[in-house]
Amino acid sequence: MHKPQRGHCEVKELPTLSGIEIPSLFILNQKELAQMESMKAAVLTAFGDAEKFEIQTVPTPTLKANQVLVRVCATSINPIDYQTRRGDYKERVRLPAILGVDVSGVIEAIGEAVTDFKVGDNVYYSPQVFGESGSYAQYHVADAAIVALKPANLSHIEAASFPLAGGTAWDCLVTRGKLQVGETVLIHAGGVGSIAVQLAKAIGAYVFATCSSRNRDFVTELGADRVIDYKNEDYVEVIRQETNGLGVDLVLDTIGKETIQRSLEIIRPFGRLTSIVDIAIPQSLLEAWGKNLTIHFVFSPQYRAKLEALTKLIERQQLRPVIDSVLSWDQVVLAHQRLEQGGTRGKIVLKFTEN
């Protein structure tokens, strides 16, 4: 990892079409603003396979008083992206749409009510998941309240791997899971899981983590104390044996299926479970009632404080980015195909620049 030059993020071949009004701004350079009136974006034209994306020229989004205009240096692909693309949430998405829920970039303009950022700041954040344009574009507008300064020791490519997955891990383990020093946690590994393992160790917990055999060494390097090969070991039996039947204090479910019901068997009385997936099949929660367990279904909200907390851990090198591969932003079709077919280790990042 390296410390990039502050505010440096060049975008090549930026179109210079007119027709968009951006009121009430503090602008670094008015001539440059004229070049930002339109932008390139990967636009979802219909629900379906990844081929439904088209690279188009679209208006740059209009800036409101409480917002910042960010030149996107990098974004990344998340499961929510391909789930949305294929139509899982079609009732919440209006086509044509720009997807993407991770941003690392440079502030190009600020609304008149914004006082905590300035033009040229390097920032990162997760856009609102539904109802607004996403980050598969050269520019993005966001409420300043959800934006944080980028960790100084990460490049934009590295930082783009953190906001959604890192923020979700924080909500599951800290905000909702209330994980404490010395407690035990079972993390069902995945994209969020790879950050959650690191975060749980930074908190001071004993970490059990499930993964495939090919990822055993990788998850161990992330900090897991006991890695469980879910294909060859029964995690319920392993935890029963290794905790002398007591179970763990917290379970983070990133898998779904029957994971919630089975995990209830190995949570201590008055323990907790957090899940980022819906219940795809009917499951009995009677075990939770009998043990006085707390279950949280987490749809992670956007807010600055958790990103600032993550930044402190990143800059202390207690959290590190986990990146599978880096592609050009116009390779969004390939990126979706690769993530959806499975087998990736870490995030697929789309870059708009070389930083």
Side-chain angles (χ1 to χ4, degrees), residues 8 35 38 94 113-114 184 221 225 229 237 242 274 284 317:
H8 180 67
Q35 295 179 319
S38 62
R94 180 180 299 178
V114 176
T184 52
E221 290 174 2
D225 297 286
D229 177 2
E237 292 304 318
E242 300 207 6
T274 56
S284 171
Q317 299 186 351

Side-chain angles (χ1 to χ4, degrees), residues 1 71-78 81 100-105 123-127 135-136 150-151 154-167 195 307 314 320-327 346-353 355:
M1 294 184 286
R71 185 183 297 185
V72 180
C73 294
T75 183
S76 69
I77 309 297
N78 294 276
D81 296 348
V101 285
D102 281 312
V103 170
S104 185
V123 295
Y124 75 147
Y125 59 96
S126 177
S135 56
Y136 296 178
K150 179 181 70 64
L154 296 187
S155 68
H156 285 292
I157 286 174
E158 292 167 330
S161 69
F162 262 106
L164 183 66
I195 298 178
L307 290 177
I314 293 168
R320 63 180 177 87
V322 181
I323 296 176
D324 176 87
S325 53
V326 179
L327 302 173
K347 300 298 289 291
I348 299 176
V349 175
L350 300 179
K351 64 177 181 178
F352 287 79
T353 74
N355 283 339

Side-chain angles (χ1 to χ4, degrees), residues 161-273:
S161 69
F162 262 106
L164 183 66
T168 300
W170 182 270
D171 283 330
C172 287
L173 295 184
V174 180
T175 308
R176 309 288 287 279
K178 306 296 184 184
L179 186 63
Q180 302 294 315
V181 175
E183 288 193 318
T184 52
V185 58
L186 168 63
I187 297 171
H188 294 288
V192 170
S194 64
I195 298 178
V197 167
Q198 300 178 70
L199 178 57
K201 287 306 297 180
I203 291 170
Y206 185 94
V207 180
F208 294 93
T210 62
C211 66
S212 63
S213 57
R214 82 177 187 91
N215 288 321
R216 178 183 291 274
D217 291 344
F218 167 68
V219 176
T220 300
E221 290 174 2
L222 292 177
D225 297 286
R226 174 62 162 94
V227 178
I228 303 170
D229 177 2
Y230 67 84
K231 292 185 178 180
N232 297 304
E233 298 179 280
D234 184 339
Y235 67 85
V236 171
E237 292 304 318
V238 168
I239 291 177
R240 279 176 175 163
Q241 292 175 10
E242 300 207 6
T243 64
N244 295 318
L246 295 176
V248 297
D249 297 288
L250 174 65
V251 171
L252 168 52
D253 166 34
T254 67
I255 306 299
K257 300 181 181 179
E258 77 288 347
T259 304
I260 292 178
Q261 184 171 333
R262 294 211 69 215
S263 294
L264 297 179
E265 300 177 33
I266 42 86
I267 300 178
R268 300 183 184 202
F270 297 94
R272 296 90 66 200
L273 180 145

